[in-house]
Amino acid sequence: MKKKFECEATIENLEKVMGFVEEALESQQCDMARLMQITLAVEEIYVNIAHYAYGKLDEGGKPIPDTGTGPMELDLEADKGQVYLTFKDKGFPYNPLEKEDPDTTLSAEEREIGGLGIFMVKKSMDEISYDYKDGKNILTMMKHI
């Protein structure tokens, strides 16, 4: 099964993205534990795209959250007990997999802000890859279902 979802990368479209993924996974008889792991990862990646991919840049060259929008595409493919989710956007080149994992031995107050979401995505998915090609960020996640 292959499905595609496209939208403007805005927080307002999060519910539609989640509905698309949940419906596709339920049609594949995905169990509840894996469904929750996948939807948590999808939400984290999509929210990051919506907040940062198309933001205006501050003086330091970092995107300012929620200051721009643009297209986002999500391809979902399920085959032979595996589901692949591929996010594509034309925002600033950014590989979230290069973000250093947070030190989870520290208390929340002692840890640096940021990085916990992508850390949870890395832990909950079986494979994750990133590429920047033809002016697009391409993040692919795979989970055995």
Side-chain angles (χ1 to χ4, degrees), residues 81-125:
Q82 297 175 327
V83 63
Y84 291 86
L85 300 121
T86 301
F87 290 86
K88 298 176 186 172
D89 69 74
K90 295 179 181 177
F92 300 109
Y94 177 70
N95 182 353
L97 303 179
E98 291 177 347
K99 178 89 174 145
E100 190 173 322
D101 290 344
D103 183 349
T104 56
T105 62
L106 299 174
S107 70
E109 294 79 27
E110 294 174 307
R111 275 196 305 260
E112 284 188 36
I113 294 175
L116 196 55
I118 191 65
F119 176 72
M120 291 186 322
V121 170
K122 289 180 196 176
K123 292 293 183 194
S124 65
M125 300 303 285

Side-chain angles (χ1 to χ4, degrees), residues 18 21-23 25-26 29-45 83 85 117 120-121 123-125 141 143-145:
M18 300 307 291
V21 171
E22 289 169 9
E23 183 179 303
L25 293 176
E26 286 168 2
Q29 287 78 47
C30 182
D31 68 65
M32 187 55 70
R34 286 183 178 85
L35 177 71
M36 293 196 56
Q37 289 175 321
I38 294 167
T39 56
L40 177 72
V42 166
E43 181 175 1
E44 177 64 27
I45 298 302
V83 63
L85 300 121
M120 291 186 322
V121 170
K123 292 293 183 194
S124 65
M125 300 303 285
M141 306 185 297
K143 182 77 175 169
H144 295 283
I145 57 171

